[in-house]
Amino acid sequence: MPRPLRIASEACARMLVIAAGFALLVFLVIELRVVVVPVAIAVLLSALLAPLVRWLHERRVPRGIATALVMVGGLAALGGLLTAVVSTLVDGTSQVVAEVTDNVGSLQGLADATPFRIDVGVLGDQVLQAVRDNQQTLTSGAVTTAATVGEILAGFALCLFALIFMLHDGRRIWGFVRLLAPRARRSRVDVAARRAFASLVGYVRATVLVAIVDAIGIGLGLWATGVPFVLPLAALVFLGAFVPIIGAVLTGAVAVLVALATEGPVTALIVLGVVLAVQQLESHVLQPVLMGRAVRLHPLAVALGVAVGVVVAGIAGALLAVPLLAVLTAAVRSLVASREVAPRAVDPLRPREANPPPALPG
């Protein structure tokens, strides 16, 4: 057999084995998504909250108490936000219905300006009739939704349980996991994992800051224009910022549609301008300055990662794709670096530690 053909066949065989192993890994992740997704979210939250736990611990607060304080504070903030959002939705529903009814004429005029013949009133009646005709299907869908809510609650409990132990015993957990690495490479793997987690800490911090700026900017625009549901829409924008690229587009579109339905086309155009301005600020200032320092990823890699995440695991995949890329990138850079420091010299809670030291000259 000619040598080039033998080399090509061996390379193809190895590629097939690697592809089969990767496909098996993806299959297991999808089958175990009820466990994998909550644990992955717990890792993200631990990257956000672990610096707070250490800050309290360095001030002579016992680690268990520090973990409890951070968890109670986080749950209280989350509960307060959800309470405010739900109360705003309940109190403003009747007002929104009245405003939508009053703006049907404006929406009809906007529809008449298009080349399509659309009767807004008839369209609304058709939607209501479709709901009545498919009441049985909707009822069965409600049962499925109840099962989904059960899965969400179970996932939330698992995420909370995992997060508590990651914050309290994260070092001991990693000390056990790193024993799976070969003894000769254990130190290098330890350093790579520390740098990967430092990259994750930087990514989470930068994402939270970007999300806060987006929510405040768009929320102020909605408040200034008199659009209802300012707090729920701002909360939606905040959550959408955690999904790169598509999250900001979808949540901004929701804000514009609410403005169009409740306040009319002029206000919707103003809100659209506010959303575009905030997104431009995010794309040209916040992302390069904050995210560029925290995560060294090309925009094409981010876009492809989000697309693959959506295809493989839907919303959860879009949420976890970019941080997974950031972690893998930092780990690979550390493993292939020409030299590395000792594991104790790398602080996994400092984002600047995510990059390995430069190569020695000569």
Side-chain angles (χ1 to χ4, degrees), residues 6 47 77 103 115 186 195 216-217 232 251 259 261 265-266 283 289 301 316 336 345 353:
R6 187 178 73 253
N103 284 290
R186 191 169 295 167
R195 295 198 185 281
I216 292 177
T251 55
V266 176
S283 301
V289 174
V336 302
E353 302 283 351

Side-chain angles (χ1 to χ4, degrees), residues 99-152:
E99 290 179 352
V100 170
T101 304
D102 294 338
N103 284 290
V104 169
S106 300
L107 295 177
Q108 184 62 57
L110 184 64
D112 293 339
T114 65
F116 307 101
R117 296 181 177 179
I118 301 175
D119 191 328
V120 176
V122 173
L123 182 61
D125 294 338
Q126 290 177 350
V127 171
L128 292 176
Q129 186 62 38
V131 171
R132 297 189 189 99
D133 294 340
N134 294 276
Q135 186 174 1
Q136 184 177 0
T137 303
L138 293 174
T139 304
S140 61
V143 176
T144 305
T145 303
T148 303
V149 170
E151 292 183 359
I152 292 175

Side-chain angles (χ1 to χ4, degrees), residues 251-332:
T251 55
V254 171
V256 173
L257 289 176
V258 172
L260 176 63
T262 58
E263 300 295 329
V266 176
T267 303
L269 289 176
I270 297 175
V271 173
L272 177 61
V274 172
V275 171
L276 292 177
V278 172
Q279 290 181 358
Q280 290 300 313
L281 175 66
E282 174 188 343
S283 301
H284 295 90
V285 178
L286 298 179
Q287 291 283 358
V289 174
L290 298 177
M291 199 67 70
R293 293 179 179 177
V295 183
R296 295 165 56 186
L297 289 177
H298 194 276
L300 179 60
V302 174
L304 292 177
V306 173
V308 173
V310 171
V311 172
V312 173
I315 297 177
L319 174 66
L320 300 174
V322 177
L324 179 61
L325 279 177
V327 167
L328 292 177
T329 302
V332 170

